[in-house]
Amino acid sequence: MPLQRGHIRAAVSVPERSWFIFSLGHVQRQSQQIAVEGCCHGELDAIYSHVNHLENRHNYKVDALLICGDFQAMRNKEDVGNMACPTKYKVLGGFHRYYTGQKKAPMLTIVIGGNHEASNYMWELYHGGWLAPNIYFLGHAGCIQLNGIRIAGISGIYNENHYNLGNYERLPLDPRTMRSIYHTREYNINRLSLLSPPSIFLSHDWPQGIEQYGDTDGLLKKSPHFQHDIQDNTLGSPPLLHLMKTLKPEWWFSGHMHVKFEATYPHEKSTTKFLALDKCLKGREFLEVIQFPVASCPVPNPKPKLTLSYDPEWLAITRVSNPYLSRRKIQWPFPGADDARQRVARELEWVTAAFPKPEDLEVERVQQFVKTVYGPTGKGWARQVSREDGNPQTVAFCEALEIENRIRD
Ligand code: 5GP
Ligand code: MN
């Protein structure tokens, strides 16, 4: 699908706290260009080609791409069967070529899950991992660092029927569990609420009521079917609003509603800039490029290498919360906020001792991409790694953190 002539523009906003370095008498900005995309729906080729088009047109290089769910990491027929959606949309899509190595993602791509996913595959990588070379899934909830930029996120969408339950679903998924598995759980909201403010937060659905903090009338003109929900204040996810108030991230990116919408949410001392983007279709506003300052002060030249690292605070939170990850319907209570924060502070000492140097936190040191099933051709539904052994990336993550692997079925 050629997108080069679409009406999509690159909005480059320069955050106020960009810093400058002085070298050889001229001013040089150190920054990273991060592209953000709404819903992917298997259109990786079209998205990468559009980013490439913007790079050529504006003469910059995009360092990383963030995708806000409905990614559809289908590797073969079995994965297609694990995606909840109407039959007419049950198609393989283009991801499998990136999985088998026929194609290589041209830039580091970081994704969360939505409500149309190869949910069996995303389950295997509950704590996050490489879906394909250069394509990293943040997990059902997660936080990582990209050269010091903290990116946190949650997968799935809100549904009150499953919100308070454990992660009881087992593989193979059936038509019911295929739909409940992507409903966000309070357990993950509780974990994420323990983070200190990230630069970026990614969610598939929107925080409830965010439409009130931008051009609501303009939104209604583009999407009149939201009228009823907006009147009732039921558009979006209630726990995500709570999370936005607690975390106060600088940026919040979402997808799911299939419309571009910008808002500014006020906190007492700062604001969160909210940006939702459309799905990848010709003529739709599905992608923006935003310039971020790099956090640390590297040597002036050349540009620092792009490094994806674990966030030490998230690793500490994972160590505290893992025993509460329920694999049954019943979800036992999470520790109170004060107690949990004290425990996270203690576990942060463990993390600092276990990962003493910054390079120890590099994701590649612990998790490398591993194929667990065959692609669409040849061996049918056969697995290369048995389900009982679990995904080697999840095994490696749990071993590095010295936590029980509760993701195994
Ligand atoms: P999906 O691609 O996930 O199946 O569905 C997204 C579609 O559902 C979009 O067209 C979006 O506008 C619509 N949608 C998602 N959440 C809501 C909601 O809470 N209220 C309304 N009225 N529409 C929604
Ligand atoms: Mn969706």
Side-chain angles (χ1 to χ4, degrees), residues 41 70 115-116 204 225-226 229 234-236 256-258 279:
H41 292 287
D70 285 351
N115 55 322
H116 303 298
H204 187 57
H225 58 290
F226 292 158
D229 288 6
T234 53
L235 192 73
H256 191 49
M257 299 298 188
H258 296 172
K279 64 175 171 180

Side-chain angles (χ1 to χ4, degrees), residues 312-320 342-357 360-361 366 396-403:
E313 198 180 31
W314 181 252
L315 296 185
I317 292 169
T318 302
R319 272 179 57 85
V320 170
Q342 277 174 20
R343 293 204 219 176
V344 170
R346 275 202 300 275
E347 292 304 333
L348 199 51
E349 288 173 23
W350 184 94
V351 170
T352 313
F355 301 82
K357 300 192 292 299
D360 297 331
L361 286 162
V366 175
F397 181 84
C398 293
E399 278 176 3
L401 281 192
E402 296 182 16
I403 58 171

